Amino acid sequence: VGAADDFERSNVVYTVQIGAFVKIVKTGTYDTSSGLFNHRFDEGYNRFFSGVFSTVEEANAHMMQMKNDGYRDAFVLGLEGTKRFLPE
């Protein structure tokens, strides 16, 4: 599963959101995060994600690793194109 190109598709994927900013983020802020990608949504937030997974279980396991790595506010998010949702 790709990362940035998934915003153009209608398939559902799961990712771990690690940050959301209105202001420009300094380059290198999230260098150590694996599978990092970001997208600026229409509401103006530039959201940073780590990993793209086909199941919630895979995303949850990655989220736990991200939390262990210091990303305390990391959470799993579902994406269907640019539509975001919290998995059930």
Side-chain angles (χ1 to χ4, degrees):
V1 179
D5 61 340
D6 285 315
F7 290 104
E8 304 302 321
R9 299 179 184 175
S10 61
N11 61 315
V12 173
V13 295
Y14 302 94
T15 188
V16 177
Q17 182 171 315
I18 58 174
F21 307 91
V22 174
K23 296 181 180 180
I24 294 175
V25 177
K26 288 188 221 174
T27 302
T29 299
Y30 292 119
D31 274 351
T32 59
S33 176
S34 62
L36 180 71
F37 65 103
N38 68 297
H39 183 77
R40 183 169 294 281
F41 287 84
D42 290 342
E43 89 282 74
Y45 280 92
N46 189 13
R47 298 177 187 274
F48 284 78
F49 306 98
S50 178
V52 176
F53 306 95
S54 55
T55 69
V56 172
E57 292 78 16
E58 292 172 308
N60 279 329
H62 186 67
M63 176 192 67
M64 294 309 294
Q65 182 60 53
M66 296 302 294
K67 286 182 179 257
N68 288 338
D69 289 346
Y71 296 95
R72 295 185 327 259
D73 297 329
F75 64 95
V76 173
L77 193 66
L79 297 172
E80 185 174 2
T82 58
K83 179 185 172 204
R84 303 177 316 276
F85 62 92
L86 294 173
E88 296 181 15

